[in-house]
Amino acid sequence: MNERGIVAVLGAGMAGAAAARHLAEAGLRVRVFDKGRGVGGRMATRRVGDLQFDHGAQFMRARGTAFAGQIDRWARSGIVAPWAGSERSVGVPSMVEPVRDLLSGLPVQSATTILRLHRDGAHWRLEDASGAVHGPFDAVAITVPAPQVMTLLAASGVILPDIAHASYAPCWSFMIAADTSPPEDLIEPGAGPIGLIAYDSSKPGRPPGIRLTVHATPDWSRRHLEAPRETIVAELVRATRDCLGSELRPSHMEAHRWRYAQVENAVQVPCLYDPACRLGAAGDWCLGARIEAAYDSGLALADAILNDLGHPA
């Protein structure tokens, strides 16, 4: 692995997947590393027996031409479909599918937490939590949430300007299987504990049954961030009942804590990249709280790497 044109991509969410695919299509070799058990990042799906919940991002929307074109390609392939209005698209049969499509055929090493980056002459080596070392790589693209980028860079003695300006709001995600369906596919009260209620079962390609995903508001999630999960479940099932005005009679309930759920302050640049050491970072924290922002940022970082390595995009 010492020829030119080998790039390590850290993070297998939308930004990392977009960067990895763009680099691979330009002729570079990539290796993707992610600390999770699977790909998708916050485009996540939880499966419990026969139950399925999109407990992370609920849908995608396109403002620009690049992501609109990508959504159109996915739609023609049956990978996404409209939901709760023609402007909202969801992955089929789960929100993970668009990321899985971008990473198809690329080497992805899951359950691998990279703790340090080591500069070795003109190359990088990556040290993971088990002590294993990966590389050498000609460039590194980091696409995890900004606080995790900062932790990794600090441990590696590397600085990227402006990244400290990015900040996130947390979110408690509450999943419930019940016997009463909501009046609408998507409800967004945005006040009190409840930010949104998504009728998971109404999304195209989903298994039958009544399943809801509830996202708490940022302020409520921040105040209850360290509360026990059983407390969160009890509070949010009451708030969901109050919001819907009906009994739910749940057969399954659980909660998931997203510490870095939604970008509050973005750095307002497409990506960060240092050509002197061929290392950069990308994510929705660069451009804004949208899946499209993560996609566009990943493409921008890939273009910066391609230009630097002499592979024009």
Side-chain angles (χ1 to χ4, degrees):
M1 284 185 59
N2 57 6
E3 72 241 47
R4 286 179 60 83
I6 303 175
V7 181
V9 178
L10 310 188
M14 179 57 79
R21 174 54 58 189
H22 196 42
L23 291 166
E25 288 181 346
L28 272 65
R29 293 175 60 193
V30 298
R31 284 184 65 193
V32 181
F33 299 86
D34 194 274
K35 69 176 185 178
R37 290 177 294 177
V39 304
R42 282 166 286 160
M43 295 181 68
T45 297
R46 176 75 56 86
R47 291 180 174 85
V48 184
D50 294 332
L51 302 176
Q52 174 180 315
F53 301 90
D54 292 330
H55 65 297
Q58 293 301 305
F59 55 85
M60 302 172 286
R61 282 190 284 211
R63 298 180 183 177
T65 56
F67 197 52
Q70 181 62 73
I71 287 180
D72 185 59
R73 288 189 290 274
W74 282 327
R76 291 197 302 270
S77 301
I79 293 168
V80 305
W83 172 74
S86 61
E87 293 185 356
R88 297 184 181 94
S89 295
V90 297
V92 179
S94 77
M95 283 300 292
V96 181
E97 303 311 318
V99 171
R100 189 171 285 147
D101 175 68
L102 289 173
L103 292 172
S104 177
L106 301 181
V108 179
Q109 187 163 331
S110 301
T112 303
T113 301
I114 302 300
L115 295 181
R116 293 177 188 83
L117 311 175
H118 301 283
R119 190 70 170 158
D120 180 12
H123 299 94
W124 288 100
R125 297 182 187 273
L126 282 53
E127 179 184 348
D128 69 26
S130 73
V133 177
H134 311 269
F137 297 98
D138 294 283
V140 177
I142 311 172
T143 66
V144 298
Q148 296 173 352
V149 178
M150 289 188 282
T151 298
L152 177 59
L153 295 181
S156 308
V158 180
I159 297 173
L160 283 176
D162 299 325
I163 192 171
H165 298 307
S167 64
Y168 287 80
C171 177
W172 273 107
S173 180
F174 172 54
M175 294 155 272
I176 177 170
D179 64 357
T180 303
S181 59
E184 301 175 54
D185 294 343
L186 181 65
I187 301 170
E188 299 180 273
I194 305 297
L196 67 80
I197 300 174
Y199 185 14
D200 259 307
S201 314
S202 70
K203 295 178 179 178
R206 269 52 176 184
I210 298 173
R211 300 177 309 281
L212 311 178
T213 295
V214 179
H215 284 178
T217 57
D219 288 344
W220 192 92
S221 296
R222 190 175 281 114
R223 291 197 305 271
H224 296 79
L225 189 61
E226 303 302 333
R229 276 178 170 76
E230 56 268 25
T231 300
I232 298 300
V233 167
E235 291 281 347
L236 290 182
V237 72
R238 282 195 294 268
T240 303
R241 284 169 174 159
D242 291 344
C243 185
L244 296 179
S246 63
E247 285 297 322
L248 297 171
R249 290 180 286 275
S251 59
H252 176 84
M253 297 187 293
E254 63 177 303
H256 178 88
R257 178 177 57 197
W258 296 98
R259 286 191 180 274
Y260 309 118
Q262 185 171 5
V263 175
E264 288 186 310
N265 296 297
V267 299
Q268 300 302 328
V269 295
C271 67
L272 301 178
Y273 184 68
D274 184 351
C277 60
R278 289 180 175 165
L279 179 143
D284 56 354
W285 52 267
C286 286
L287 293 170
R290 306 182 311 279
I291 292 174
E292 179 179 24
Y295 179 86
D296 288 345
S297 183
L299 292 186
L301 180 54
D303 281 340
I305 293 171
L306 289 169
N307 289 332
D308 195 30
L309 294 179
H311 292 256

